[in-house]
Amino acid sequence: MATALHNLSDYDSAKVPDASNMIFGIVVAEWNPEITGALLQGCVDTLEKHGALPENIHVKTVPGSFELIYGAHQMTLNDGYDAVIVLGSVIRGETPHFDYICQGVTQGIARLNATNNIPVIYGLLTTNDLQQARDRAGGRLGNKGDECAVVAIKMAKF
């Protein structure tokens, strides 16, 4: 469903399992920190809302969105995580760089999900401009970080 038709922060909390015994890894890109910081805050707040203990939420940063693949892979090697969440933001520019990064990260995260026993949750915003990113990082369309936290809890329980 298109984000314009669904607020990323709207969900039925009764359908979210208790996360009090779960451990989460979060890998966050440093690029576009206004956006990724808001995604991270939404993600952590939602994990804690559903019972995750602060000491069971481990956050690591990587320089940019392409490095999310490596960071997530390293976290999947640690048997202690129930789910790993990647958070990043790529905003379209004047060159094809946007297309290569978005495609590479998408394929990399898909590969990790197909080859590991730990779910890796895709939290990469791919927007045409900064306002679209703001709208999806706590703005009028909710927060993709909230959605990723809910997905991580559900997939960890899967």
Side-chain angles (χ1 to χ4, degrees):
M1 178 179 289
T3 305
L5 304 176
H6 177 79
N7 187 299
L8 296 164
S9 297
D10 287 344
Y11 61 92
D12 183 352
S13 62
K15 292 183 178 181
V16 181
D18 176 40
S20 60
N21 292 321
M22 297 178 183
I23 301 172
F24 299 95
I26 303 174
V27 185
V28 185
E30 294 171 339
W31 196 258
N32 294 325
E34 171 192 351
I35 304 304
T36 59
L39 294 173
L40 176 61
Q41 189 64 57
C43 186
V44 170
D45 289 349
T46 301
L47 289 172
E48 289 178 355
K49 174 182 174 183
H50 293 286
L53 301 173
E55 60 268 21
N56 288 340
I57 302 170
H58 305 162
V59 179
K60 298 283 187 180
T61 59
V62 293
S65 290
F66 197 77
E67 292 78 26
L68 290 168
I69 303 163
Y70 177 83
H73 177 66
Q74 292 304 306
M75 283 190 154
T76 65
L77 297 176
N78 177 343
D79 294 333
Y81 294 114
D82 293 294
V84 174
I85 302 164
V86 299
L87 300 172
S89 173
V90 183
I91 300 171
R92 188 178 299 278
E94 298 176 356
T95 69
H97 180 75
F98 173 90
D99 299 311
Y100 299 128
I101 296 300
C102 295
Q103 184 177 42
V105 175
T106 300
Q107 289 176 351
I109 298 306
R111 186 177 62 252
L112 289 175
N113 274 304
T115 59
N116 287 295
N117 293 324
I118 300 168
V120 179
I121 310 308
Y122 184 87
L124 181 69
L125 288 182
T126 58
T127 59
N128 289 318
D129 57 48
L130 181 58
Q131 188 57 53
Q132 287 180 345
R134 287 178 176 148
D135 289 345
R136 291 158 177 79
R140 68 181 184 87
L141 297 174
N143 191 320
K144 180 76 172 172
D146 295 341
E147 181 188 56
C148 289
V150 170
V151 171
I153 295 167
K154 288 181 174 184
M155 290 306 295
K157 186 69 173 176
F158 186 82

